[in-house]
Amino acid sequence: AQSVTQLDSQVPVFEEAPVELRCNYSSSVSVYLFWYVQYPNQGLQLLLKYLSGSTLVKGINGFEAEFNKSQTSFHLRKPSVHISDTAEYFCAVSPVNSGGYQKVTFGIGTKLQVIP
Amino acid sequence: KAGVTQTPRYLIKTRGQQVTLSCSPISGHRSVSWYQQTPGQGLQFLFEYFSETQRNKGNFPGRFSGRQFSNSRSEMNVSTLELGDSALYLCASTLSGRVKNTGELFFGEGSRLTVL
């Protein structure tokens, strides 16, 4: 079984300031890790993913995340946010050997509000 | 390549009615999953279909059902609607082969259901 904890439900930040959205997970097996973004009245779209290799992953729109296995974390960062980054962000995990089954677990989401 | 298409995008029903939502996955994707999204609850997994068979189910009452057709298109049905069924219903597709299944999901824009 897996679980995902997003520590902040809302994060307000001023435009052009840096931001970090925190995600911790729990799993008895190795996992793949994802961050998705949801703009108002839209579905989720993939920001970035960690499958293997380098623990620093770069995604779209200038976001990056770092996988820390010892701390079971996958925090999302952006050095300078823009108004258009205002959205809800979801952290998710999926077991490496799922046998083809869809077993994705999502966090509760973090609403990022960028203040002009 | 066309994305995941969900219809209708918005609908309003009254208590006791039933509703059917449709999802066309990305071409070649054989797995379709459904999620219910409500404020404060995040994404709740409803069920997953693969090759016309339901192979995973979340913790929802029997009023929620689904099916998948031979072309991988999927429908979900909610009978005897309750006020609490008001939500954004998201469909996601994935390749879901037994090899190299990372769990990455491709979402539609959702169907927003309002129950009055």
Side-chain angles (χ1 to χ4, degrees):
Chain A
Q2 306 144 157
S3 66
V4 178
T5 303
Q6 292 185 242
L7 298 160
D8 305 296
S9 59
Q10 294 191 56
V11 174
V13 61
F14 286 104
E15 193 173 15
E16 297 184 7
V19 69
E20 178 180 82
L21 305 184
R22 296 178 293 169
C23 172
N24 286 89
Y25 70 93
S26 172
S27 177
S28 56
V29 299
S30 295
V31 293
Y32 299 123
L33 298 132
F34 307 87
W35 275 99
Y36 289 86
V37 60
Q38 184 179 35
Y39 299 103
N41 294 315
Q42 292 186 25
L44 280 69
Q45 64 183 81
L46 185 70
L47 259 184
L48 49 78
K49 60 187 175 185
Y50 172 78
L51 303 182
S52 65
S54 172
T55 57
L56 183 62
V57 180
K58 294 190 183 298
I60 62 172
N61 302 338
F63 283 92
E64 63 180 32
E66 185 152 22
F67 170 50
N68 188 318
K69 189 174 183 179
S70 62
Q71 297 186 5
T72 60
S73 67
F74 191 53
H75 301 330
L76 181 70
R77 302 185 185 101
K78 186 170 183 178
S80 175
V81 296
H82 190 265
I83 292 289
S84 60
D85 293 323
T86 295
E88 191 159 17
Y89 293 79
F90 292 89
C91 182
V93 301
S94 175
V96 169
N97 295 311
S98 66
Y101 286 68
Q102 191 274 90
K103 293 182 178 177
V104 182
T105 302
F106 286 89
I108 198 81
T110 297
K111 290 184 178 176
L112 174 63
Q113 183 185 5
V114 180
I115 304 163
Chain B
K1 205 177 204 182
V4 178
T5 304
Q6 290 189 247
T7 56
R9 288 291 314 279
Y10 302 91
L11 65 167
I12 299 173
K13 294 284 186 179
T14 56
R15 280 183 300 173
Q17 287 187 310
Q18 66 94 25
V19 66
T20 299
L21 309 177
S22 179
C23 172
S24 293
I26 291 172
S27 177
H29 285 192
R30 297 171 62 193
S31 167
V32 173
S33 301
W34 289 89
Y35 290 84
Q36 181 194 66
Q37 185 181 20
T38 53
Q41 295 288 324
L43 280 83
Q44 305 285 313
F45 174 72
L46 280 155
F47 27 65
E48 182 208 5
Y49 285 87
F50 179 78
S51 291
E52 302 178 63
T53 302
Q54 186 185 92
R55 64 177 185 180
N56 206 358
K57 189 177 189 302
N59 189 25
F60 277 81
R63 301 185 296 108
F64 291 81
S65 63
R67 59 178 175 169
Q68 187 180 35
F69 302 95
S70 58
N71 62 358
S72 294
R73 189 178 71 85
S74 177
E75 290 181 348
M76 67 162 284
N77 184 276
V78 188
S79 62
T80 320
L81 284 166
E82 301 176 358
L83 295 179
D85 297 332
S86 294
L88 181 67
Y89 290 87
L90 291 163
C91 167
S93 74
T94 186
L95 279 168
S96 192
R98 288 196 172 269
V99 178
K100 295 183 181 178
N101 175 30
T102 66
E104 179 179 348
L105 297 171
F106 297 81
F107 284 86
E109 293 197 311
S111 293
R112 183 165 298 279
L113 170 65
T114 302
V115 182
L116 302 176

